[in-house]
Amino acid sequence: MELGIAGRTAIICAGSKGLGRGCATALAREGVAIFIAARGADALEATAKSIRDDTGARVATVQADVTTEAGRAALLAACPAPDILVTNAGGPPPGEFTQFSLDDWRRAVEANMITPIALIAATIQGMMGRGFGRVVNITSYTVKMPIGSLELSNGARAGLTGAVASLARRAAPHNVTINNMLPGPFDTDRVRSNWTRAAEVSGRSMEDVAKDSVRSIPARRLGTTEEFGATCAFLCSAHAGFITGQNILLDGGAYPGLM
Ligand code: NAP
């Protein structure tokens, strides 16, 4: 399917690895000029080169910590008027509620709620004025199905979900959509570091934790970053203008509820 977004411009936050990289690659394949941000220069430049070589798209890099004001300013200076904004950042660490400090909570809210809100606030009026915009927030299936050890993530991401819900309706008349993608377990570094931590806490082997985790997914496998990126590209496409304010689960059937 031709997605109708060739020539558009996109910011993809935290795009050098994992889910962000999947989104960046899929958008570049559609002829979108992409700006990818991450903190580490080596992975960022390697990813940019690989996407350029694979797709021939324009790929710019911004070495920035998107959870800081300076990092976001650098990203927006490089691409002040994106047509597409994919918000993303590293997830908060797992842990135990009673052990988290208030600063842990502040960091989680800053990274996974305030950062996407700041980027949306800086770009959405331009999108509405131009009559096209697609915002995709990468959140987590923990928004619908909270996981015990991920309370920092559950809280901050649920806050973001609430914060953008009515804005999505206000932006809709201008052909600007805001949707959230809710990944379950995907095959990325993040999932492996969660398994390592779970193994340490439980005293079990990493392999056992991994096996149990995969067994709990009806699809009996992890998701791939290609699958994630393809869904993101469709949500950013010209055809997806009637999909807004949605929380789209990609979890191999893990969430057990009806809706
Ligand atoms: P990943 O494979 O570890 O990749 C994380 C990416 O984010 C890297 O490119 C990293 O590059 C970048 N990054 C992290 N912090 C950043 C920051 N402050 N500023 C700019 N870039 C930053 O992680 P992932 O699995 O793709 O996860 C992406 C998000 O989805 C996370 O919030 C994660 O919690 C959430 N999630 C993932 C899963 C899963 O199964 N994978 C499931 C649910 C939710 P640098 O380190 O160089 O900055």
Side-chain angles (χ1 to χ4, degrees):
M1 185 193 287
E2 167 62 57
L3 295 189
I5 45 175
R8 298 280 185 194
T9 302
I11 286 177
I12 300 100
C13 299
S16 68
K17 295 182 195 163
L19 304 178
R21 178 177 175 154
C23 296
T25 306
L27 289 166
R29 278 205 186 105
E30 294 302 318
V32 174
I34 61 170
F35 290 75
I36 53 175
R39 295 164 303 178
D42 292 350
L44 185 60
E45 294 310 328
T47 294
K49 179 176 182 331
S50 159
I51 297 176
R52 262 183 229 117
D53 292 349
D54 285 358
T55 66
R58 280 179 48 213
V59 183
T61 57
V62 182
Q63 190 187 353
D65 180 340
V66 297
T67 67
T68 65
E69 277 183 38
R72 293 191 291 272
L75 182 54
L76 292 168
C79 181
D83 302 304
I84 294 166
L85 170 66
V86 179
T87 75
N88 186 24
E96 157 60 36
F97 191 101
T98 56
Q99 305 297 315
F100 292 134
S101 67
L102 289 183
D103 279 340
D104 291 332
W105 282 104
R106 288 186 187 105
R107 272 190 293 274
V109 168
E110 185 73 38
N112 299 106
M113 181 179 171
I114 292 175
T115 290
I117 286 172
L119 289 166
I120 293 168
T123 54
I124 196 149
Q125 276 173 332
M127 291 178 184
M128 292 197 285
R130 294 189 299 277
F132 180 90
R134 300 285 184 262
V135 177
V136 172
N137 299 307
I138 300 180
T139 66
S140 174
Y141 75 148
T142 63
V143 169
K144 284 191 77 123
M145 194 170 72
I147 291 181
S149 61
L150 293 178
E151 279 143 340
L152 294 174
S153 169
N154 305 341
R157 297 184 199 280
L160 170 64
T161 305
V164 299
S166 47
L167 179 62
R169 276 74 187 181
R170 282 214 302 286
H174 306 280
N175 189 24
V176 175
T177 67
I178 306 178
N179 291 292
N180 307 309
M181 291 179 68
L182 282 53
F186 272 76
D187 193 358
T188 70
D189 293 351
R190 163 81 178 179
V191 111
R192 283 166 206 290
S193 73
N194 284 352
W195 285 344
T196 304
R197 153 102 198 174
E200 280 163 14
V201 169
S202 64
R204 301 166 66 212
S205 71
M206 224 284 252
E207 290 68 32
D208 276 357
V209 171
K211 250 188 230 155
D212 274 2
S213 169
V214 170
R215 207 178 294 132
S216 72
I217 306 165
R220 301 283 185 267
R221 66 175 177 86
L222 298 176
T224 70
T225 55
E226 289 77 16
E227 289 171 316
F228 195 86
T231 307
C232 176
F234 180 74
L235 287 174
C236 295
S237 77
H239 311 299
F242 212 51
I243 304 174
T244 197
Q246 299 304 303
N247 290 290
I248 295 159
L249 276 169
L250 294 92
D251 68 350
Y255 172 68
L258 272 181
M259 286 173 238

